[in-house]
Amino acid sequence: MSSWLGGLGSGLGQSLGQVGGSLSSFTGQISTFTKDMLLEGVEEVGDASTELLVSSSKLEQVEAEYERLKRIHAELEEKLEASEIQVKRQSAEYRTLMQQKDVEISHLKARQSGLQEEVQKLQHSAQSATSDSAVLPVTTASATTTSSSYMSRPLGAALHQGFHGSDEMDFGDVIWSQQEINRLSTEVMRLEAEVSHWRRVSQASVAPGAGNGDQGEVLKLQRIIKELREEMGREVDEHQHELAALQDAQRQKMADVIRRHRDELAEYEERIEELEEQKQTGGTSPATASGLHESSVLSDLQNTIQSLQEAAEERLKEEQEERLKELTANLEEAGRRQATLQQEKEEAQAENAELLQNYTRLQTSVTELQSRVQEHEGKARNKAQLDQEIQGLRNALAGAEKEISRLKSLQSETKMEVEHADILELNTVIGTLRKENELVEQDKRNLQERLARAEERVESDSLDGGESSPAATEQVSGLRAELEKSEQSLREIQEERDTLLNELEELDRQNQQATQHVISVKEQLSVQLKESEAVVARLQSELSTTTDQTVALQQELKAQQDKLSHSAFTLNDLHMGKQQLEGTIKELRDKLGRATEMGKEARRETQEFQRTIREREEQLSAARAELCEAGERGRESSGSRDQLEELRRELAEMRSSQEKVMSEDYEMKMEKQRLKTEAEHAQERIEELARQVREVQAALNRTVLEKDTRIEALKLEKSQLEGELGQAERGLQEQARQYQQTIEELTAARSMDASALQTEHERTVRLNQEKDKEIFQLKRDVEQMASDHRDTNEMLSITVDGQKQLTHLLQEKDSFTESLRANMAATQRELEAVVQAATQEAETLRGALEEKDKQLGGMKEDKSHLKEEIDRLRDQQNRPQPSGLSEPRTLDIITELENEISQLKSSRDELEDEGHSLKRRVEEQRGHLLSSQQSLLAQQNELEQAHQRHEQSRENYDRLIHAKDEEIGRLQQEVDHLGHIHSSQEQEVVILQQEDKTQSSLNNGENDNEKHDLSKVEINRLVKGIKEKETEISQLNERNLNLTRQLDQLGVSREEIGKLSQMVLQKDLEIQALHARVSLGGGGHSQDVMFLQQQLQAYAVEREQVLAVLNEKTRENSQLRSDYHRIMDIVAGKEAMLLKVQQENQRLSTMSDPSGSQEMFRETIQNLSRIIREKDIEIDALTQKCQTLVSVLQAGDSGGVSSNQFEELLQERDTLKQQVKKMEEWKMQVITTVKNMQHESAQLVEELHKLQGQVDADNDCTSNLSVDYSRLIHSYEQKERKLGSLSHELAHVQQTISQLSSTKDVLLGKLDSVAQSPQVTPLSAALTSSAQPPAAVEPPRHQVAAPATPGNQEGLRQELESLRALLSERETIIRTLQENNHRLSNSAQVSDSEQRGQADEARQVRERLDALQRSVREKDLLIKTKGDQLTQVSESLRNRESDNEVLKQAVTNLKERALILEMDTRKLKDENEAVAQRSREKESEFRALQETNMQVSLLMREKEFERSAMSEKAAAMEKMLKDREQGNSQRSGELNQLLNELRSMQEKAVAFQQERDQVMLALKQKQMDTTAVQTELQHVKDREQRLKLELDRLRNHLLEIEDTYTREVLAAEDREAELRKRVTLLDDRLATSSSQVESTSHQASLQVESLQEQLSGTVRQRDEALIQLRAAQDQVNQYAVSLSNLQMVLEQFQQEEKAMYSSELDKYKREKDEWRRKALKLEDRASALKINLDEANAALDSASRLTDQLDLKEEQLEELKKQVDVRQEMLEESQDKLMNLLNSAEGQVDQALMRNLFMGYFHTPKPKRSEVLRLMGSVLGLDKDEVNQLLEEEGGHGVGGWVPGWLGGRAVQSVPNTPQRPGAGQGGFNNSFSEMFVKFLEVESRPALPAPRLPVYDIKPLSAPPPGRTTSSAWAQQPEGGAAAGRGQRAAGESNPFLAPRSAAVPLMHHGSGSSSASGGHHHLLMKPISDNLPTFTPVPVSAESGGQVLKDLLKQ
């Protein structure tokens, strides 16, 4: 094998060397070629004959050369076959070798696995001997070994499969298998060494421990380990089963507990309702009851409610504790499962690491192979590696960014408020680092593009060489052959041209010197190229250093994230796992499946937890509602509040644990997806590696030949190198600029971060105030977004539906237009066919008319001849005849002539009828033509109209689509604008935009598809295919019609013969009937009549049957005719062509075969007609005899039947027979026509099916193309959409930056106003305290429940001072930061100036380089001009030579064509001989037919003999009749004898008829054979004629070519003379040019020296530029160091700020705790005043609840966002209902109310009654002025307090603060009934003991005066309270006009109403607050039947 390989290599090397040598000597060959061309044509030939001799000798030489080349070619082919056989044999040997190697590999692998098992066993024994805790390492080791063997096995198997699958063996694979064997053997050696090592260890461990440390103990230990593992597995399974059972039991317990809890809740609700009813009854008791009794009842009720609540809370607490325990147990189990999953993950990662090691080892082997293979393509591989590295870096960056974003989102969820500043800092730092990364990547891409350009240049040069090499070898071989020919022909005259040769040699030497000089320059330039490549490599290394710097910057970023260190570690682990998992996806899939199952279980558990949590939350909310309702009626204890807070904390913990489980689940999902994507990436990489290996092998097979590169390419390379140097300098400048920009951005970000950190505190202070506004804004935004979404969705759905309809319409119109086009094409084709058919029929009709005219003329001549003969005969008759014998002869002649005349007349009539019918047909066809043309024009008009409509609709649709696109763009802008408000809504909007874009683009794409699908190319292709199919169909139809026409002709001749034979049979039958009539004379007449009557009846029946059948057939025929006409219109065109072909065939047949079958037919027809005439004559004679006999019989028999009746009967029978015959003939014709129609219809149906199949296939192709086109458009639009989304993200980032800058400015502006805002609150507090000294004042919202005392004011002042100190500290920090910024900007300016100086220097260097390039180009142009002159001279010589060669080639081509023609003629002769043989066979068949004809004539003679016998018998009959006259006695016997003879004669006649039919059938068969033979003969003759014509044409062509050749030879002689003259001129020019060349060479050498000097200068400049580059890099490094220092400073600053913030937060927390303690003290003080101040207690309770709500506000915000929409809808519904109710009840007056008012009027004292009257007047809708007038007229006492009198025996009560004034905090009342009714309810719900309460800021101040105050003090207090209320409204937006003074039983709001009041404060005054507070009113005692409708609806709500 090696020797064969070596032989192959040496052969290849020799051939390559020869090719290289031929290429190197190419210039020399060109010079010799030019010499030969100049030397050619020296022989001056005297005349044309000698020149022909010379050319013939040259042709002989060429033929000899051709034969020699043929022999060489045959030998080479034999060698090739032998080498192929050898290669096959050797490949088979290699395959066997490979199989052996595979077997060896499998053995080695088996041995390796065995050794690994031994190693494991030894490790087990050793570790068990040393310690018991070594189980896990052993298992991991075993896992690693097995996994490694597993990995190595499939790879090897796959590679060996590839070996056996491919027939073309690769030696690289053999080498690889050898390396694999070596590697496995080394591994086996290593494992054996490990085995020996572990044996020694085990022996050493066993020897000191125990003496009997045998192998048995090891086996025992292994068994124990296996049993333990099995037990562990069993325990795990049991544990899982127990877990499932526990979960089921827990679910059941939960369900029971929930059911019990609901039942208890229902019971409690019932009891509470009962208590409420009791309370109402107790509250509405008569006025006699005292307040003490009421308070005692209330206290009892409250005690009972408290006891019930305590019991319920204890139960709830116990149940919830049990549930919490169960939940914690479940969570612990989930945590354990997670830990196990994490362990499995770590094991998988360890296995991945080991598999990666195996993979890297395999990769090393592959890279070794590639290094051997890719010695010529190193640069390409480097480029691929660089691309892979860039891709890996990009993937890593993308993964890091994704991970950072995920961690940021998690962090923002968990620690949103605390670490907001940190996240902002990280965002800015990450953004800057991303920008730096992108800039570095762009630099890297630029450098790679330069590298790629250089490599492409090198590859293109090498490829040019490789491509031109085979062409050059072919040219060289052709030139060699031509040179050999020219040397043979021109050896004699070489001596005369030595002087020219010498001069040419001198020129060659000079040329070679110039080329050597150019080669040296080229070598120098290649050295420079290598140096530039080294520079590029250096730049690449610098690029790698910059990438290292970016990696270092990323590490610094990670170091900044102290709080996110854990997530960073996990990110690194994930990256490591990503790199390790590329080869091990298949093994991990099973584990992934298990993990997904566990994840599903965990998800199920989390879903169950969520369900339970939801249920508990519902229960909790119900409990809260109950507690609130109970709290409204009774006091809440502090213990229940603590329990509720504990429950909330537990709930929050449960929620956090659930969120953790959900996040872990989500991480598992993400890992699964990532593993899938990594698997796909790994497969793609494996495929890429395989493809690279294949490409490398293909590159080995190609032997690349290098060609001499030209001077221009070197110049271009030089200019490109200089351009690359300039680009490198520009890239350095850009890098420096980018670094400067990054520094400036970092400083800006630092300043922004500082300002943001300074303003963060203020933002947290104002957070509480902004929460409510955010709620309202969010609600409005959500509603706006929802409405916008609905509108956009509706609009888009409408547009999508419309566009779908439009596309559907367009498709239908396209299909309609296509069908119209197809119909038009079909109609055009049919028209053409009809026109052709009509013209052909007209021609045929003209021919037929001419023939008929000729026949008529001939008949007229015959008629005149016959008339003359008749006259002559008449003359003869007039003459007296000697004997009576001549009379019967003349009678016979006359009868014959009359018969012939009648026949001629009938034929003339038939011909005239035919002419008339033909004329009618022509007219009908003209009418058809006109109608079809009109229909065509109408269809064309319709098509044009349809096109116009289609174009109009398309334009309309385009306009519509454009408008829709504009609307969509506008909507997208609006959606983007809205999306910046809310982040979650933004994602939905983006998704919608993408859908809209896809829909609109899809619609546009569909329109475009419809426009572009049926492109012209496809239409042309379809039309061509259809035309080809139509031509094929027409050819097949023509063949079919040819055959049918031939058959029809045969059928016509047969029909004529059949008619004649039928006529013969009829005559025979008539003769027999006459014989019978002659025989049946006398007594048998009655029998004959009966027989004839029966026949008549049978004929009549048959006639009726035939008529019925004929009716059915006519119906069928009419249907078939309609079908036939439809089909015939299609076929007419094809039939016309057939008619032409038939006419030509007939003409040819008449020309070729004049003595053919037609003469035979004519002879047979004449014979038969002669026989028929004779029969007719005999029949006439017999009829005359019969008539005489009948007359004799009539005379003889007077008593018989009358002769007239008998004759009538006979005539009827004859007529019936004729009718039956006509009907039968017609029936036969109809049957034949029907059969033909069926056959043709079947053929047409088949053709239709074929055409439909073709059309369907074409439609499928077009649909596939349209689908592919739409797919491409879809992918393109997706990419556009991705671009759009990226641009949106960019815009979003820019907006966030601008927002940050604006927030910075705003916060800096607000720093000044911070000192003023805290001064407002104490002033308002002072005002309120002066107004109400005993009441406590609540501070603003961010300070919870602190009393506004003088000590409190001092604390506020201290706080102000501390804030000012903080402000001063912040200002100093800001100043320091500004100074740092100034310093950085100064340093940046200095670096800018330095960079500008460097740029100026680089510009100067570039200008010098440009000047040098210009000079070099000028020199190159000079050299080019000289070279061009030389090449022009050589090209003119080459053109002359090529002309001669073309002439020679033409001669050889002509000879070859003559040979080919001779071969064709031989073939044609052979075919002629075969045809002649076939014609001989046909002649023999013809003779056989003639013999049969002779037999038929013999039969005819026999028939004549029989006829004569019959006539003799008739004579005998006459004699017998005469005898009968003599004796009647003998008559009966003779008659019987005659009858018997007649029957025998009839039987014989039938037999003869059958024999005759058989003979006729045989005759017809023979005639068909003869016609087939004749057609074949005709084809052969046509072919001979064609071949003869071709031969003549070729001979003429040869003669013409010889003439042209002689002319060209003469012209060549003239050209030769001219060339000689030119050569003399060229000699002179050479002498001058040689001196010029010497001078130019001297100048060129000088120029080269100057160029070298310039090159050395450029090298020096390049070195200087490199030095500058290094200096710039040092500056860049310094910038990087300064950047890192800045980042360190920033980190320190951030840490300091964090510490400061944490201290401030602690301080605020402490202050908050102090405020809370103070609030508790205040509550204690207020509880001391509980006896007299129940209402103040209620206010304090509500205030404490508000503080709790403020603590819970952050939790409730999430719930509020969800509830806002629901509440909004409920509000709208309730508002509509209330408005309807109010409108309906506006004008109504309640009877119960009026009764109460009337009763109250009489109960009140007289001075107070005017107020009651005023209230009644307002209820009745009277104006205040009218009521006052009435009261003044009555003499009223003015307005006073009437409520004490109204309430009977209650205690004294002050005037209520009814808010009737507009300044009292409730503007907007309009004196309606509902308003007065609400006032009345407020007054009625107040109990007997009012008390002063604490005013707060969050709610309206309760302005009821203390009991000691008078009304005047109350009215004086009113404005201040109103101002406070207004201020509270402006601050919070939660003030409520209905919070008037209430009893102790009415709290301000229930427990859960804080949020609702906060959200509903801006709505209508009658909506939510009334419904919240109405159930707690104590209404007026009114019966349920007569209660007002308004009250009912309000109570319902």
Side-chain angles (χ1 to χ4, degrees), residues 312-324:
E313 281 166 2
E314 284 172 1
R315 278 190 195 170
L316 272 168
K317 221 177 171 184
E318 289 169 1
E319 288 169 3
Q320 284 171 353
E321 282 173 358
E322 288 172 3
R323 290 178 206 156
L324 279 168

Side-chain angles (χ1 to χ4, degrees), residues 502 591 774 1274 1494 1887:
N502 293 326
K591 290 184 180 179
E774 279 179 5
H1274 188 59
M1494 291 293 289

Side-chain angles (χ1 to χ4, degrees), residues 407-408 411 419 426 561-569:
L407 291 166
K408 271 202 283 184
Q411 184 192 12
E419 295 178 357
L426 287 170
Q561 297 172 346
D562 293 326
K563 290 183 181 178
L564 301 172
S565 60
H566 181 66
S567 62
F569 287 133

Side-chain angles (χ1 to χ4, degrees), residues 233-272:
R234 280 199 297 277
E235 282 174 3
V236 166
D237 294 334
E238 288 167 4
H239 183 59
Q240 286 178 350
H241 287 305
E242 285 171 5
L243 254 177
L246 280 169
Q247 284 174 356
D248 294 332
Q250 194 246 349
R251 283 191 206 115
Q252 289 173 358
K253 278 183 190 174
M254 288 292 290
D256 294 331
V257 167
I258 288 158
R259 195 171 58 251
R260 271 187 281 145
H261 184 61
R262 282 177 185 160
D263 296 333
E264 286 169 5
L265 278 173
E267 288 172 5
Y268 287 137
E269 283 173 358
E270 288 171 1
R271 286 184 69 181
I272 286 159

